[in-house]
């Protein structure tokens, strides 16, 4: 059972916009996942608070909520139907701060009064597909996945996406009508809604449903365009250019306002939601904005030190392994990692050095190793070195 949004924010139904903002700010700070790491209760509260704010901060949504409750704002529609139908709850729209860049004007979600620096699942977006607006029905949102290599993510990349989506019908210019004329629906007088009052012992209830004649649109097509069957839209191909900033992560998405499906009969466009997928890399593992590479080295190179070449995201780089390097040591090549998403600069390239233990040895190799073993300095001293190596390992792991 969903809690009442006013109750969630702890405000009265007559609260002003300012009151709503203040209440939201306070609660969002309190339950922010940054302040409550690993606390799933806080996370739930945080989502609930965000959802409540998303609705109550938007005049139109608030009005619908006041009138129809949760059903009026379609808050259960979060698993909207993009091409892949993924729920939006798993993604963080870290790009809300960038949304101006991606065009389309004001965010329909009301936006947050301050930018969370966090990547965190918002859980709303992608929802209401057949929203009414002054220009008719809104087109559906499209969700596409975009797979990027670590190299692309490191520096950011511009991609041209080929997309199949609904575009306005060119025969009727998107009106759905041969003559281009639409008639106001007489059943609902253009409101798109039908009200039925019923009296019960608890009082009078008004039941509001979408108009069955016009399907909630408020208008009727007089003579349907035969090319699009009166819909005003048809399937088409299009290309979209999108600039991906450096430092994005798997599951991040960006919203291109108005780049989704065209709305039926001149309705506004839906959004295009591009979900980032990170391709796994042959050589590297990503850790935040750092990149880890495992380098196996022969025992003599670790003991005596050595100069090696290691691969990075930008080609090979020379690296000095100092004498006496211990297994699991991380050597750092700074500034060769992934560009930070929200600040200038880049992460580092980390090289984890490990001993290479060969399995197939020639007779001569074996003789040499046996000879080495005879020197007492090449094997650990049980009293001092065992303890030391334990602490060194711990330092490498936790340090
Ligand atoms: Zn109607
Ligand atoms: Zn048409």
């Amino acid at each position: 059972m969903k809690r009442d949004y006013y109750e969630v924010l702890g405000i009265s139904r007559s609260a002003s916009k300012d009151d709503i903002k203040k209440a939201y700010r306070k609660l969002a700070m309190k339950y922010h996942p940054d302040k409550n790491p690993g606390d799933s209760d806080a996370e739930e509260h945080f989502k609930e608070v965000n959802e409540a704010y998303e609705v109550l901060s938007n005049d139109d949504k608030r009005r619908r909520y006041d009138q129809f409750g949760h059903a009026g704002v379609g808050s259960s529609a979060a698993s909207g139907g993009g091409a892949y139908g993924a729920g939006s709850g798993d993604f963080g729209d870290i790009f809300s701060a960038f949304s101006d860049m991606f065009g389309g004007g004001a965010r329909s979600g009301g936006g947050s009064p301050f930018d969370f620096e966090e990547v965190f699942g918002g859980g709303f977006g992608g929802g209401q597909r057949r929203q009414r607006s002054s220009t008719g029905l809104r087109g559906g949102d499209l969700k596409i996945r975009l797979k990027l290599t670590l190299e692309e993510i490191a520096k950011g990349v511009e991609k041209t996406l080929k997309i199949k989506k609904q575009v306005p019908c060119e025969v009727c210019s998107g009106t759905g009508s041969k003559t281009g004329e639409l008639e106001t629906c007489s059943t609902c007088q253009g409101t798109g809604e039908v009200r039925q009052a019923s009296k019960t012992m608890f009082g009078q209830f008004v039941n509001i449903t979408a108009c069955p004649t016009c399907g909630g649109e408020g208008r009727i097509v007089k003579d349907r365009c035969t090319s699009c069957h009166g819909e005003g839209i048809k399937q088409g191909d299009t290309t979209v250019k999108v600039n991906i900033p450096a430092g994005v992560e798997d599951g991040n998405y960006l919203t291109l306002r108005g780049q989704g499906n065209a709305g039926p009969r001149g309705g506004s466009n839906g959004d295009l939601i591009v979900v980032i997928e990170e391709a796994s890399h042959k050589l590297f593992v990503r850790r935040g904005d750092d990149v880890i590479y495992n380098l196996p080295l022969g025992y003599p190179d670790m003991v005596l030190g050595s100069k090696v070449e290691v691969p990075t995201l930008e080609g090979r780089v020379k690296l000095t392994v100092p004498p006496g390097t211990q297994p699991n040591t991380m050597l750092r090549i700074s500034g060769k990692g992934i560009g930070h998403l929200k600040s200038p600069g880049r992460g580092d390239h980390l090289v984890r050095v490990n001993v290479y233990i060969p399995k197939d040895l020639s007779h001569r190799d074996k003789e040499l190793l046996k000879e080495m073993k005879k020197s007492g300095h090449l094997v650990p001293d049980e009293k001092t070195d065992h303890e030391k190596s334990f602490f060194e390992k711990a330092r490498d792991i936790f340090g």
Side-chain angles (χ1 to χ4, degrees), residues 185 188 211 214:
C185 172
C188 64
C211 170
C214 62

Side-chain angles (χ1 to χ4, degrees), residues 49 305 361:
V49 165
L361 289 176

Side-chain angles (χ1 to χ4, degrees), residues 185-194 211-220:
C185 172
S186 56
T187 309
C188 64
Q189 267 81 45
T191 61
E193 292 165 352
V194 178
C211 170
T213 311
C214 62
E217 199 182 339
R219 300 175 303 173
I220 286 171

Side-chain angles (χ1 to χ4, degrees), residues 17 168 391:
K17 285 200 111 167
F391 283 114

Side-chain angles (χ1 to χ4, degrees), residues 78-238:
S79 58
Y84 295 85
S88 56
D90 302 329
F91 316 117
D93 192 350
I94 50 164
F95 297 99
S96 55
F98 297 90
S99 59
D100 289 346
M101 248 163 72
F102 300 113
R107 270 168 66 76
S108 58
S112 55
F114 52 96
D115 289 324
F116 283 117
E117 287 298 294
E118 228 43 51
V119 173
F120 191 76
F124 12 82
Q128 300 121 7
R129 305 195 54 207
R130 295 221 133 197
Q131 214 173 37
R132 256 177 67 83
S133 71
S134 53
T135 48
L137 296 170
R138 181 178 182 269
D141 292 339
L142 272 179
K143 195 176 279 176
I144 62 157
R145 294 186 180 275
L146 177 60
K147 203 168 199 170
L148 298 175
T149 64
L150 218 45
E151 282 84 353
E152 289 171 328
I153 288 172
K155 291 193 153 181
V157 64
E158 184 187 79
K159 286 276 182 183
T160 303
L161 313 175
K162 280 202 173 129
I163 292 162
K164 280 194 191 303
K165 69 171 187 181
Q166 283 171 332
V167 295
C169 169
E170 72 277 12
V171 177
C172 61
S173 309
T175 61
S177 153
K178 268 183 200 162
T179 54
E181 277 173 51
L182 296 170
E183 211 170 61
T184 301
C185 172
S186 56
T187 309
C188 64
Q189 267 81 45
T191 61
E193 292 165 352
V194 178
R195 292 163 184 256
Q196 268 175 326
S198 53
K199 280 202 173 109
T200 73
M201 58 184 289
F202 301 110
Q204 179 169 300
F205 285 88
V206 179
N207 190 28
I208 296 170
T209 52
C211 170
T213 311
C214 62
E217 199 182 339
R219 300 175 303 173
I220 286 171
V221 180
K222 265 171 144 181
D223 44 4
R224 289 164 182 263
C225 163
T226 46
S227 177
C228 63
H229 310 289
E231 286 290 306
I233 47 176
K234 45 165 56 173
Q235 200 68 20
D237 293 303
T238 179

